[in-house]
Every structure is written in C-alpha cells, then in structure tokens.
Amino acid sequence: MKTIKVRLKERSYDIVIGAGLLSKTGALLQKLGLGKDAVVITNKPLLGLYKRDLETSLHKDRFTVRFELVPDSEKAKSSNVALKLASRIAAYDKKRSVFIIAFGGGVIGDLAGFVAAIYKRGVPYVQIPTTLLAQVDSAIGGKTAIDLNIAKNLVGAFYQPRMVISDISLLETLPARQIRNGMAEVIKYGVIKDRQLFAFLEKKYSDILRRDKESLEFVVSRSSRIKVNIVEHDELDKTGLRAVLNYGHTVGHAIESASSYLSRYNHGESVAIGMAVACDIASKLKLTSPEVCERIKALIKKAGLPTKITGLNLSKICGSLAHDKKFVRGKNRLVLPVSIGKVKIIDGVPDRIINEAIKKNLKNG
Ligand SMILES: NC(=O)c1ccc[n+]([C@@H]2O[C@H](COP(=O)([O-])OP(=O)(O)OC[C@H]3O[C@@H](n4cnc5c(N)ncnc54)[C@H](O)[C@@H]3O)[C@@H](O)[C@H]2O)c1
Ligand SMILES: [Zn+2]
C-alpha cells in the first residue's frame, strides 16, 4: 500500500493506492472524523459487483451505509440527477451525520463530488475510483461537475475529497476498452512530465493491459503523483500550470463531441488521436523531432488506442473545435510535445496548421 499526500493547507488529504483496499475502507475512513452515516453513490452494475465487500468493510467499523443509485452513463451528470440525489439525501439525513462516498468511474466521481459540494453548502466526501481513468485522473484534484446541453462540465465546483482510495483490485472487472481509456491519460502523463514512466509503458504495456497488479500499482502511483504535483501548485486552475494536463485534449475534445452522437470514440480514444495530431502540429512547427512523434504514436498504438480518425470528416471536427474556442476567449491554446517528458504551451496556432494535421490523420481521406 502506498500513500501520497496532497498538500492543500486545510484541504489536505491522502491518496491511498494498493490491491485489496476495499475491505479496509472502514478502517481507512475511521480516523478522518467524517460522520458515521455513509451515503454511497454508485450504479447498478457496480453495486452488483461490490456491494457486499464495501458494506461489510464499513459495517465492521460501525458506519451505517445507504446506497444511492444513478444511471450508468454520462447522463448521470445532469442537474436533474444531482438535485434528486440531494433531495433523497436530505430526506434520509434527519438526525444523522452524513458523508458521501463516490464509488465508480469519473462520471460518478464528478457527480457525487458536485452533490457533496452543494448539499448543505458542503458535506465531506471520499473518492473510491473504480476505473483506471478515475484512479489516475478524475478522482484527484477536486474538480467536480455536471453537464449542460450546451457543453460538458459547465456547472461545477472545486471541492476536495477527504481521502481517495485507489484499489487496484477493482480494475479486474473493468472492461478492456476502459483500461485502454485510462491508458491514454497515463501516456499523457509520460509525455508531459515523466520519461521514465513513458519508458516503463513502452516495456510493460501488455502487462498493464492484462491487469498485472504490480504494473498497475506503479502506473497509478506514478500518474497520481504527477497530477498531485500539478494540483498542489495550481489548485484552482489559475496559474496555467494545470493547463499541461490538456495535452491531446483540445483536438481530442473536438473529436469526442463530433463523434458523440455515434458513440464512436470514448474520451481516451479521442485523447489518443488528439495526442497524435498534437505531435504532427509540433513537428510542423519544428518544436519536436519526427523520432519523438514516432515514439509517441507507437506507444499509443501498442496500448490498443487509435491514432487515426475514421468515420468523421474534417468539417465536423473543425466545427467542434471552433465551438470549443468560444469557451476559451476565441483563441486556441495547444499543449505540444518537445521531447518525451517535456511539453510547451503555444497560443494561437494558425487554424491552417491544425486543420492540416487533422487531415493527415483522417483515414480514408
Ligand atoms: N474531474 C476531473 O478532473 C475529470 C478528469 C477526467 C475526466 N472526468 C470525467 O470522467 C468521466 C469519465 O469517466 P470514466 O472514463 O471513468 O467513465 P465512467 O465513469 O462512465 O465508467 C466507465 C464504465 O465502466 C463501468 N465501470 C466502472 N468501474 C468498473 C469496474 N471496476 N468494473 C466494471 N465496470 C466498471 C461504469 O459503470 C461505466 O459503464 C467523464 O464524465 C469526464 O468528464 C473528470
Ligand atoms: Zn482526459
């Protein structure tokens, strides 16, 4: 078991990483003074898999447990679901001392964190991330949110959890596509900050994909440490440091939203393509070498992720990109690789260069 401290003054907390932690949840939470009534926000499939273990562990340390179920999709991140949850918690909360446990992937983490932030202007919450993406990314850093029709994550709050428990064993039941989804973010960490992590992924990608616990624990710890470091220096996304986390995400988001009605690409797959396109843009701008680009693209492919776009046309993707720009004051800001472990943030890259790079990565035209 590894512990990573997140140092944010009075909002500091621990991230605990290891195999088999679910059965220790009660003991881990015991010393935090959260209250004694746990409201676990999760979904039906996860309840089926883990209800008994989680409940037993919490009961053992004298917590009461109530499960609140939400739909198993991005649709759970809606104002409707959030407010209904708050009402149900309020009805249950008479003469109790409630705290919230987010038990799920990024969807549940974002939603449960948001509800914890707004219910009674804030009750304590704990993240138990169950996807690789949530363990390495979304459960860390205190960004909570729900979606609006116009765009994702538009309503939210910075609200730090009191603990994050990343149980590697939970990844055993995660579908292979979801492991790859998280791998895209892990590759991102390697490119932006950590060439040793990148080299580890190049060597051990197949062990990770078959969920070897030791490799996963290394990858989750190393990635968490990078995100923690960035968050500690830019908790509220104000100094620009947190921006490096957007490597692959500008074009990635455009692909994700252009393909959303087809559900062709999930987040990690879109980011993987976005990282490949960012390589080509960096190459064109002579920021990086073709060798660095090839290494990054080769690792993306080894991880079973796409570097090329199929089934979408340039105008659709560019339309989404332009829409995205409206939310960043009309200018694009790209995180571009320089070498493995080092990126540069460039503002106002000409649209022509971005379009060319996207075009280069379109399959069948
Ligand atoms: N807050 C942040 O900083 C941040 C960062 C990145 C992403 N996000 C958000 O995260 C969300 C995506 O999260 P995600 O990729 O984890 O997807 P997800 O939460 O939808 O989970 C993916 C699927 O895996 C299933 N699942 C989860 N854990 C499982 C397990 N252990 N075994 C079997 N099945 C399991 C879920 O039920 C779901 O069907 C998006 O809404 C995104 O906006 C937030
Ligand atoms: Zn991401």
Side-chain angles (χ1 to χ4, degrees):
M1 184 170 105
K2 279 199 180 71
T3 302
I4 298 175
K5 293 211 171 303
V6 186
R7 292 188 175 86
L8 297 167
K9 300 194 179 116
E10 66 281 5
R11 296 175 304 289
S12 298
Y13 57 95
D14 284 351
I15 301 172
V16 191
I17 302 164
L21 292 180
L22 197 59
S23 61
K24 302 188 178 101
T25 303
L28 285 166
L29 300 186
Q30 195 50 253
K31 32 186 173 172
L32 298 180
L34 299 166
K36 66 171 195 35
D37 303 300
V39 174
V40 180
I41 299 178
T42 190
N43 63 30
K44 218 169 163 187
L46 284 165
L47 190 78
L49 288 164
Y50 297 111
K51 179 176 189 237
R52 261 236 325 252
D53 290 353
L54 182 56
E55 204 168 33
T56 308
S57 168
L58 288 165
H59 280 161
K60 208 165 62 195
D61 281 274
R62 300 213 183 79
F63 289 103
T64 74
V65 189
R66 179 185 170 90
F67 288 94
E68 284 292 347
L69 297 184
V70 298
D72 180 16
S73 78
E74 182 72 27
K75 288 198 181 76
K77 280 173 61 174
S78 70
S79 54
N80 193 16
V81 172
L83 292 180
K84 271 193 185 147
L85 261 177
S87 307
R88 290 208 299 266
I89 296 169
Y92 170 71
D93 192 14
K94 292 178 187 127
K95 294 190 193 149
R96 289 179 192 271
S97 52
V98 157
F99 71 96
I100 288 174
I101 298 180
F103 188 77
V107 163
I108 282 172
D110 279 11
L111 167 74
F114 180 69
V115 171
I118 59 167
Y119 175 62
K120 287 182 165 174
R121 298 191 186 85
V123 292
Y125 82 113
V126 170
Q127 292 270 12
I128 307 186
T130 64
T131 63
L132 181 59
L133 180 131
Q135 293 190 352
V136 300
D137 189 358
S138 61
I140 306 166
K143 276 191 181 179
T144 73
I146 55 171
D147 302 334
L148 294 184
N149 285 337
I150 186 165
K152 279 179 62 170
N153 299 322
L154 225 45
V155 174
F158 284 97
Y159 192 56
Q160 300 294 344
R162 297 286 299 277
M163 179 173 265
V164 178
I165 302 174
S166 288
D167 182 352
I168 303 299
S169 307
L170 300 177
L171 305 179
E172 267 166 30
T173 54
L174 193 64
R177 191 176 180 194
Q178 293 299 338
I179 296 277
R180 296 195 294 269
N181 188 28
M183 271 295 272
E185 304 288 357
V186 178
I187 294 172
K188 175 190 84 177
Y189 287 123
V191 175
I192 63 172
K193 288 277 177 201
D194 191 343
R195 61 193 166 91
Q196 278 170 323
L197 172 62
F198 192 93
F200 179 87
L201 297 174
E202 286 180 314
K203 234 196 280 164
K204 300 275 192 163
Y205 66 92
S206 61
D207 292 354
I208 299 165
L209 294 177
R210 67 173 176 78
R211 300 174 180 74
D212 168 59
K213 288 218 178 72
E214 222 172 282
S215 307
L216 277 171
E217 191 169 327
F218 178 82
V219 157
V220 172
S221 308
R222 199 91 180 187
S223 304
S224 300
R225 222 175 273 279
I226 295 170
K227 179 133 188 203
V228 166
N229 228 329
I230 293 170
V231 167
E232 281 179 341
H233 292 96
D234 188 12
E235 183 185 4
L236 304 178
D237 211 351
K238 288 249 159 68
T239 70
L241 263 181
R242 227 169 148 145
V244 292
L245 295 168
N246 283 335
Y247 170 52
H249 280 62
T250 307
V251 172
H253 280 147
I255 292 168
E256 197 177 359
S257 56
S259 78
S260 65
Y261 69 103
L262 296 165
S263 306
R264 181 179 286 278
Y265 294 119
N266 65 24
H267 181 72
E269 291 158 353
S270 309
V271 167
I273 299 170
M275 291 192 288
V277 171
C279 281
D280 290 334
I281 296 170
S283 213
K284 188 89 190 170
L285 296 175
K286 305 239 178 317
L287 278 176
T288 194
S289 65
E291 291 75 31
V292 168
C293 273
E294 272 328 298
R295 242 183 110 185
I296 295 173
K297 288 186 188 180
L299 179 58
I300 294 171
K301 286 182 203 156
K302 278 180 185 167
L305 287 159
T307 56
K308 300 267 183 203
I309 312 158
T310 51
L312 290 174
N313 59 36
L314 187 64
S315 68
K316 258 219 165 77
I317 300 167
C318 292
S320 299
L321 255 181
H323 191 258
D324 223 34
K325 265 205 278 184
K326 279 203 296 211
F327 295 101
V328 283
R329 292 178 286 282
K331 233 182 167 192
N332 63 48
R333 161 168 288 191
L334 293 181
V335 182
L336 301 174
V338 174
S339 54
I340 305 295
K342 188 165 176 223
V343 288
K344 212 169 176 177
I345 297 176
I346 308 283
D347 284 334
V349 176
D351 285 348
R352 178 183 51 83
I353 293 184
I354 300 176
N355 294 355
E356 262 174 32
I358 294 173
K359 218 163 149 184
K360 190 176 160 202
N361 288 282
L362 281 173
K363 239 185 196 166
N364 318 318

